[in-house]
Amino acid sequence: MDERTAPGRPTATEPDDDLTSLPTEGNLALVEGLRALGVRMYAGVNGGGILNVTKHLAPYRPPGTDRPAADGGPSLFTVGEYTAGFTPLGHFLATGEVSACVTTTGAATKLAASGMSDAVYHSIPAVYVVALNPTSSAGLAPLQDVARTGTNIVGQLRAEFGESLLVLEEPGDLAPVLRRTAELLAESRPVVIAFRPDALSAEVPAPRAALRAARPVPERPVEGLDAVAADFRSTVRGKRVVLLATDEAARDSGLPHLTGRLSEALGAPTLWTVNGAAAVAADDPYGRGHIGFGGNDRARELWDSLGPDDILVTLGFEPGEYILNLADVPAGTVYHLTDLEQPYGSRDGSFAHRCAGRYVRVKAPLRAGIAALLASGAAPARQPVLDGPLNRDPYPPNTRQGSVDLAALLEGMHRRWRKPTLLFDDVCLAYKDRQFVTQRSHPGLRAYSAYQGSAMGGAFGLAVGAKLADPRLPVFCLSGDGCYRLYAGTMPECAELGIRLFLLNNGSYAMVDQVLDRTDTELADERHHGRLAPCDFVAAAEAHGWQARRMRPDLADLDDVMDACYRPGTPSLLVEVPVDPDQVLGSNPRIDNLGDDSSS
């Protein structure tokens, strides 16, 4: 991915100490205050408690339409809340810019909640503007009662977001809420602003930050890296070092060069997570592959061999079950390089509780941390490079008549990516099998999976957010016929965005079938509860204003399909792909955790 599309850290701001200026209407002050913090795009559905906020937002106009565009101010893309909840994540991953989702009271917030959770899980800065009931309605059973007498939405959000939930109860709360929002976004954390409509209905003291361009916070010098380098030099002498690239590392488009320098300097075999693959060059000779869910054979063998005498240098840290499989990191010493303050799964920023041995947190920009290790003069036990595939066995073929060979499709698409491309894997066979089959990164691709929440259909919302952020960017989504049920109703609104949606159609919840085929071999197929009613996805997409086509089972049209996908200025395109649910490709280590006593 080129630098135009590479996400980084959000721009922080330092509002003036004197946060008062001319009085202004509170709803406008909120919109303008968030605009000063970089928020110019909103997604959601208007109504109820947010009517007076959204009237200050222009309707979103896709480039190239015959309708006049917004005047450059903040705009609202009207789309159902389930999809809208994921759009800030895709927006940030496409450009590094923060955007917002707006929800009215009641069910709207619940619908957006899956995307809100994934923003927490993946440490993605985003803003969620959530309406509460008016103060005057307390105890009067208001419509969509979200007070303690109803759904107690503030309590629910507090339990999940903690200090990242900011409640705007009084007009005077606006300035401190905006100030704290700036701080949290700078730490790459999502923010929920829950407001009472009456708190913004009057004139409020408008923060100057809402009336001027946000000023970047100057970078502060990083201290302690000399000590880290000395510790590293002493600890790794004569020992094997292994590198691990994660989501945080892949947010910097320039990092593959540095990870390559580090692996070469240390003779260190390199692993990556599904979201960290873009941080390692495709031709890195020390590359061993993806770990965890859908991981590669060579990577699994290396990870399983880690022990007390080994050193792991991890660029970022992903603690989830699909990566660590509920186990601790087995290395003797872990050097955790990170610039995140409070990533998901940490305890006060630390992952010492997830490491079997010694844990060293190196809090610094990743480039600075890597530079310190490169300058350390460390002399570990160098490991050999690896030439050849990262999987040992041939891929099993598809057997269902009329289906594509999924491995051949994924390999074929991988060879045809063009720079820059952004790809989102939905919760279907693709998010297990793609990384297993393709093995290494592609220089033109950044792929992302919101795997921790594993919300079916969420990848579609990510793709929508990415296209809202950068309409020129080619954005693909690999989704399934089960996932489709979650977002199909929002497809008409997205017809002009230019999304490329590959829909894997196997007539089932194939992931469920593959698990139960392993965990309960005597269970009748009908008790899998995984069959899906047939649907003409091409006809449905065309009825929604999309272009649509079916992939030929022999993939003879793959070149034509990919050419169509990269044709600029065209409507969104759905490509239906007939898939064999019994073609098992990538591994699913989580199966071992799904016994009869499992809650999942």
Side-chain angles (χ1 to χ4, degrees):
M1 180 169 293
D2 66 5
E3 293 189 3
R4 175 173 63 87
T5 61
R9 293 182 62 79
T11 300
T13 59
E14 287 184 333
D16 294 335
D17 292 335
D18 176 12
L19 287 176
T20 59
S21 183
L22 296 175
T24 188
E25 194 267 339
N27 295 283
L28 177 60
L30 174 62
V31 170
E32 289 300 311
L34 291 175
R35 179 181 182 177
L37 301 182
V39 178
R40 296 176 180 271
M41 179 63 67
Y42 294 72
V45 176
N46 197 16
I50 60 172
L51 290 172
N52 289 318
V53 173
T54 55
K55 71 182 182 183
H56 299 293
L57 305 175
Y60 175 76
R61 305 297 193 199
T65 62
D66 56 4
R67 293 169 295 182
D71 59 4
S75 60
L76 171 66
F77 179 67
T78 298
V79 68
E81 289 94 346
Y82 184 78
T83 291
F86 292 95
T87 60
L89 288 73
H91 194 286
F92 175 77
L93 292 168
T95 61
E97 298 172 356
V98 178
S99 68
C101 169
V102 60
T103 69
T104 189
T105 50
T109 304
K110 295 292 192 71
L111 287 168
S114 293
M116 297 166 73
S117 296
D118 271 335
V120 173
Y121 290 143
H122 295 280
S123 298
I124 293 179
V127 175
Y128 293 90
V129 179
V130 174
L132 304 176
N133 301 124
T135 306
S136 59
S137 69
L140 301 178
L143 185 70
Q144 300 171 322
D145 187 356
V146 296
R148 291 183 180 179
T149 54
T151 62
N152 190 22
I153 196 66
V154 168
Q156 292 187 45
L157 292 170
R158 181 77 68 195
E160 182 170 6
F161 284 85
E163 64 178 356
S164 293
L165 170 66
L166 308 176
V167 182
L168 211 164
E169 299 264 13
E170 303 288 344
D173 294 340
L174 180 59
V177 162
L178 288 172
R179 182 189 292 112
R180 184 60 180 147
T181 298
E183 295 168 351
L184 291 166
L185 294 177
E187 295 175 3
S188 201
R189 298 164 71 180
V191 178
V192 178
I193 299 176
F195 72 97
R196 296 197 182 280
D198 48 310
L200 297 180
S201 63
E203 290 188 341
V204 300
R208 286 184 179 174
L211 306 175
R212 59 168 172 79
R215 296 198 310 266
V217 174
E219 288 192 8
R220 296 175 173 85
V222 178
E223 300 177 354
L225 289 182
D226 289 342
V228 168
D231 181 272
F232 184 74
R233 182 172 58 251
S234 172
T235 301
V236 307
R237 185 178 296 114
K239 296 183 178 181
R240 180 175 65 166
V241 176
V242 174
L243 304 184
L244 174 61
T246 74
D247 179 355
E248 183 182 354
R251 296 184 185 186
D252 183 343
S253 62
L255 220 62
H257 173 67
L258 289 178
T259 55
R261 285 183 58 195
L262 189 59
S263 64
E264 173 60 34
L266 301 175
T270 303
L271 305 168
W272 48 86
T273 66
V274 63
N275 290 338
V280 182
D283 59 355
D284 190 323
Y286 287 94
R288 296 296 193 272
H290 301 82
I291 65 169
F293 184 71
N296 301 113
D297 295 341
R298 299 284 190 177
R300 182 169 58 254
E301 292 163 4
L302 175 59
W303 185 263
D304 290 346
S305 74
L306 290 177
D309 293 329
D310 295 311
I311 312 298
L312 179 70
V313 176
T314 179
L315 309 177
F317 202 109
E318 293 184 53
E321 185 174 2
Y322 272 0
I323 306 302
L324 299 183
N325 204 33
L326 306 183
D328 292 338
V329 178
T333 301
V334 174
Y335 287 90
H336 171 207
L337 279 58
T338 184
D339 200 23
L340 300 181
E341 293 285 346
Q342 298 282 348
Y344 164 74
S346 70
R347 295 178 180 173
D348 295 325
S350 168
F351 286 100
H353 62 292
R354 297 303 309 276
C355 298
R358 179 173 176 245
Y359 170 84
V360 180
R361 182 175 183 243
V362 182
K363 177 63 173 66
L366 292 184
R367 292 187 181 215
I370 292 173
L373 300 189
L374 285 170
S376 68
R382 299 184 63 85
Q383 303 300 301
V385 298
L386 177 65
D387 182 22
L390 304 181
N391 295 324
R392 292 191 176 277
D393 299 323
Y395 304 134
N398 57 310
T399 58
R400 174 184 283 187
Q401 186 175 6
S403 68
V404 306
D405 181 337
L406 184 56
L409 172 66
L410 295 171
E411 288 179 322
M413 294 180 69
H414 195 68
R415 290 193 299 270
R416 291 167 173 82
W417 296 127
R418 304 176 191 177
K419 183 176 182 178
T421 295
L422 183 57
L423 167 68
F424 297 107
D425 295 320
D426 214 335
V427 181
C428 62
L429 291 178
Y431 93 140
K432 175 177 67 71
D433 295 343
R434 183 190 57 79
Q435 64 270 29
F436 176 74
V437 169
T438 59
Q439 303 183 29
R440 296 179 182 270
S441 64
H442 186 286
L445 175 74
R446 184 171 185 222
Y448 200 88
S449 169
Y451 63 82
Q452 184 61 25
S454 279
M456 295 173 60
F460 183 81
L462 295 174
V464 171
K467 291 299 287 188
L468 294 176
D470 186 353
R472 303 169 299 163
L473 177 65
V475 176
F476 288 70
C477 176
L478 295 181
S479 188
D481 50 348
C483 301
Y484 172 87
R485 269 73 176 171
L486 277 298
Y487 57 77
T490 65
M491 289 178 65
E493 284 70 40
C494 304
E496 296 178 326
L497 295 182
I499 295 167
R500 305 321 187 200
L501 173 63
F502 281 67
L503 192 73
L504 307 186
N505 179 13
N506 49 43
S508 68
Y509 292 115
M511 295 280 293
V512 174
D513 284 335
Q514 291 185 7
V515 168
L516 289 172
D517 284 343
R518 282 271 309 276
T519 61
D520 198 338
T521 57
E522 302 300 320
L523 186 67
D525 285 349
E526 67 179 14
R527 294 298 178 96
H528 290 189
H529 307 293
R531 298 282 76 79
L532 292 172
C535 175
D536 188 338
F537 296 105
V538 169
E542 290 174 341
H544 291 324
W546 287 49
Q547 294 180 346
R549 59 191 298 171
R550 287 186 180 89
M551 182 74 71
R552 287 181 50 171
D554 61 2
L555 300 180
D557 56 346
L558 182 55
D559 281 329
D560 290 341
V561 169
M562 294 301 284
D563 286 342
C565 287
Y566 281 106
R567 194 169 296 131
T570 55
S572 294
L573 170 65
L574 179 145
V575 180
E576 182 182 348
V577 183
V579 173
D580 179 1
D582 296 322
Q583 185 181 17
V584 181
L585 297 172
S587 64
N588 183 357
R590 184 173 182 253
I591 288 177
D592 296 334
N593 305 330
L594 297 178
D596 289 341
D597 60 344
S598 172
S599 60
S600 301

